[in-house]
Amino acid sequence: MICDDTTTEPEVLVAEFLTDVETLRKRAREHIKMGPITEAYGADRDRVISVLNEALATELVCILRYKRHFYTATGLNAAPVAAEFLQHANEEQQHADQIALRITQLQGEPNFDPEGLATRSHAEYDASLDLLDMVREDLIAERVAIESYSEIITWLGTSDSTTRRMLEDILAVEEEHADDLLSILQDMNP
Ligand SMILES: [Fe+2]
Ligand SMILES: [Fe+2]
């Protein structure tokens, strides 16, 4: 193919919202200790870290509640329900790990202190002995988590897309948990 050398390239327009490359490079060097957090980070970092620590406490309490329910579930229908409790416990553990990692990326400290854990958590612990009560309490806790994650996501808006995306993924799993529990509840108590 023969190229037409006389054709002039259209002028490439740099989007106006982008900071010029010199300034970007200078800023990246200046605050190197902040790791992935740059001047473009639009949220209140300290508040995001405290909100994430509350979410971490919520996940940790949910792990403990599901583990308690898994090990104490008894009765005729217990086996498949207990299996569901265990699966939820493992997924809450993944959420706790994701949230703790994000807190460290934001240069904060994940709070795993057992002191005050139940107070920091949005959802509650439960030690019911009846299988139906366990499922009901788990469903309530999931609904609390769904509501608080939805509010945090709205609050973040576009100010911290990485945290928001992570929480949106977690929220989707909490909705699945609530749906699983509702099905179990309906099977057990039509
Ligand atoms: Fe979770
Ligand atoms: Fe959940």
Side-chain angles (χ1 to χ4, degrees):
M1 188 180 164
I2 300 165
C3 291
D4 180 2
D5 285 335
T6 60
T7 309
T8 51
E9 288 290 322
E11 192 184 341
V12 178
L13 291 172
V14 176
E16 283 171 10
F17 59 84
L18 279 177
T19 308
D20 71 275
V21 74
E22 287 297 321
T23 312
L24 284 177
R25 287 174 185 166
K26 190 164 158 279
R27 281 187 199 159
R29 280 173 195 283
E30 272 169 6
H31 303 292
I32 200 159
K33 284 196 189 132
M34 294 302 287
I37 306 306
T38 67
E39 302 268 335
Y41 184 76
D44 179 340
R45 198 168 50 90
D46 290 339
R47 278 187 79 192
V48 173
I49 290 167
S50 6
V51 166
L52 287 180
N53 265 320
E54 286 179 15
L56 175 61
T58 304
E59 295 293 349
L60 294 173
V61 166
C62 287
I63 296 165
L64 297 173
R65 195 191 57 254
Y66 275 125
K67 285 277 186 176
R68 160 78 199 208
H69 289 177
F70 169 66
Y71 284 108
T72 55
T74 49
L76 212 56
N77 304 315
V81 181
E84 200 69 47
F85 291 157
L86 181 61
Q87 193 200 320
H88 288 198
N90 292 337
E91 283 166 348
E92 311 303 11
Q93 179 66 64
Q94 288 168 18
H95 298 164
D97 289 337
Q98 284 175 274
I99 294 168
L101 178 65
R102 184 59 187 155
I103 291 171
T104 60
Q105 286 175 347
L106 291 169
Q107 312 304 303
E109 288 175 24
N111 188 353
F112 284 94
D113 194 341
E115 186 82 43
L117 181 65
T119 318
R120 295 196 302 279
S121 167
H122 299 151
E124 286 178 283
Y125 181 72
D126 170 71
S128 296
L129 289 174
D130 177 73
L131 195 61
L132 194 65
D133 290 341
M134 291 182 193
V135 178
R136 198 181 290 119
E137 286 304 315
D138 287 332
L139 177 54
I140 292 167
E142 292 293 350
R143 288 176 57 82
V144 169
I146 289 167
E147 216 168 337
S148 75
Y149 281 129
S150 304
E151 283 178 9
I152 300 168
I153 288 163
T154 308
W155 170 64
L156 281 172
T158 54
S159 64
D160 179 343
S161 315
T162 308
T163 302
R164 196 198 64 232
R165 266 205 319 278
M166 175 191 75
L167 295 177
E168 283 171 348
D169 290 344
I170 293 176
L171 173 63
V173 177
E174 309 304 6
E175 287 176 348
E176 275 176 37
H177 289 173
D179 195 45
D180 295 341
L181 293 163
L182 181 62
S183 303
I184 294 172
L185 205 59
Q186 285 167 342
D187 281 351
M188 290 173 77
N189 192 17

